[in-house]
């Protein structure tokens, strides 16, 4: 499917956003008003952790990484999507950093936006944010703070028969700051095949995808990253998996 441009897909407005450095944009990021206060507080803590961190070029871990292009680049925040006009190319579609389509192909598995998951799984969501806030990589709290996130729960003993596919799509000629946050919880003996299709359209985006997963005893997560083309921008994807031996 030929996806519409980000600035024309059911937006509240088509005003051109002011471009800023990635740190400056994060400081002025507009948190989603639809998020529960509990989640907004977690995101504010994550944002504070990011702003207090030693980012690229300021830490020993980045000593041999040339960050000049990133520091000179400018980005803007995607506008909220109010309607979905997407083909069924994946079970879940993020378009320009925002959730645009959600379909759960497996009975017994839960696929929720993080804003919905906090109602029933507030303590679990809180534990994931507690970990990302303490992470030394600045892009980890950045993703948690800014993302329109997803919560995937496969209860104990449930083996998802069909893979869950997630497409991260963007189509914009100017730079967007695209943050994504996936939380995956697999109970004891549960299994899931998770396919992440990292779209590469557009020029000069900053992509920060964070996948956090907790796996119970004998749980199985088959994770496949699909890169479908040349990417002209900045990508800082992070995976954090914790396995239980109990």
């Amino acid at each position: 499917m030929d996806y519409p441009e980000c600035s024309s897909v059911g937006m509240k407005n088509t005003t051109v956003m002011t471009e800023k450095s990635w740190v400056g944009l994060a400081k002025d990021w507009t948190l989603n008003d639809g998020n529960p206060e509990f989640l907004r507080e977690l995101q504010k803590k994550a944002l504070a952790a990011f702003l207090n961190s030693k980012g690229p070029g300021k830490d020993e871990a980045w000593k041999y990484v040339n960050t000049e292009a990133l520091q000179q680049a400018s980005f803007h925040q995607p506008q909220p999507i109010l309607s979905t006009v997407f083909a069924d190319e994946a079970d879940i579609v993020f378009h320009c950093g925002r959730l645009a389509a959600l379909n759960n192909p497996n009975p017994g598995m839960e696929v929720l936006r993080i804003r919905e998951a906090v109602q029933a799984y507030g303590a679990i969501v809180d534990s994931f944010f507690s970990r990302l806030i303490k992470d030394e990589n600045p892009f980890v709290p950045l993703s948690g703070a800014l993302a329109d996130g997803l919560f995937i729960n496969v209860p104990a003993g449930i083996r998802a028969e069909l893979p869950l596919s997630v497409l991260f799509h963007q189509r914009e000629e100017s730079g967007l700051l695209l943050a994504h946050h996936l939380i995956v919880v697999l109970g004891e003996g549960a299994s899931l095949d998770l396919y992440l299709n990292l779209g590469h359209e557009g020029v000069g985006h900053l992509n920060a995808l964070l996948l956090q997963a907790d796996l119970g005893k004998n749980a199985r997560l088959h994770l496949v990253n699909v890169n479908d083309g040349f990417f002209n921008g900045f990508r800082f994807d992070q995976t954090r998996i914790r396995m239980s031996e109990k």
Side-chain angles (χ1 to χ4, degrees):
M1 177 181 179
D2 186 15
Y3 284 81
E5 298 294 327
C6 297
S7 58
S8 61
V9 186
M11 302 300 180
K12 290 182 179 179
N13 60 66
T14 56
T15 303
V16 177
M17 301 295 291
T18 301
E19 294 194 345
K20 303 177 182 180
S21 71
W22 67 292
V23 176
L25 180 58
K27 289 180 180 179
D28 297 332
W29 195 267
T30 303
L31 295 177
N32 196 313
D33 291 334
N35 288 348
E37 184 62 25
F38 177 76
L39 178 57
R40 288 174 61 84
E41 289 302 314
L42 293 178
Q43 290 181 313
K44 288 178 182 178
K45 292 179 181 178
L47 181 58
F50 162 71
L51 295 176
N52 291 328
S53 67
K54 294 181 179 180
K58 300 179 181 179
D59 187 77
E60 182 69 18
W62 299 87
K63 183 176 180 180
Y64 300 106
V65 179
N66 187 344
T67 63
E68 182 178 357
L70 174 62
Q71 304 299 351
Q72 294 180 353
S74 297
F75 306 96
H76 60 276
Q77 180 176 355
Q79 292 294 286
I81 293 176
L82 299 183
S83 63
T84 57
V85 290
F86 305 100
D88 296 327
E89 296 187 13
D91 300 310
I92 299 165
V93 178
F94 285 90
H95 183 62
C96 297
R98 298 302 181 207
L99 183 65
L102 191 158
N103 174 55
N104 181 0
N106 291 294
M109 179 176 73
E110 293 180 284
V111 182
L112 307 168
R113 300 175 84 163
I114 292 179
R115 69 168 71 171
E116 299 166 345
V118 297
Q119 304 300 325
Y121 302 103
I124 296 177
V125 173
D126 182 78
S127 69
F128 278 98
F129 269 84
S130 294
R131 277 179 268 161
L132 71 84
I133 288 171
K134 299 174 184 177
D135 201 287
E136 294 182 354
N137 188 306
F139 292 99
V140 171
L142 177 69
S143 295
L146 308 186
D148 186 9
L150 199 68
F151 182 91
I152 302 167
N153 179 39
V154 186
I158 298 294
R159 296 185 176 273
E161 295 184 2
L162 298 175
L164 182 67
S165 57
V166 184
L167 172 63
F168 302 94
H169 192 279
Q170 53 268 347
R171 186 140 186 177
E172 182 91 1
E173 293 186 358
S174 59
L176 291 171
L177 199 168
L178 302 168
H180 300 99
H181 184 199
L182 304 185
I183 293 177
V184 180
V185 179
L186 270 61
E188 181 176 349
S191 68
L192 173 66
D193 295 332
L194 181 60
Y195 289 77
L196 306 181
N197 190 333
L198 309 174
H200 288 153
E201 291 83 353
V203 176
H205 301 317
L206 191 160
N207 286 262
L209 166 63
L210 170 62
L211 170 67
Q212 290 181 288
D214 273 4
L215 309 184
K217 184 179 179 180
N218 297 323
R220 170 187 170 275
L221 175 63
H222 181 210
L223 180 62
V224 179
N225 289 321
V226 180
N227 296 297
D228 59 3
F230 175 74
F231 177 70
N232 183 5
F234 308 93
R235 183 173 291 284
F236 297 95
D237 299 334
Q238 307 294 324
T239 301
R240 302 289 186 267
I241 299 178
R242 188 173 69 172
M243 296 178 287
S244 174
E245 297 180 354
K246 298 181 180 180

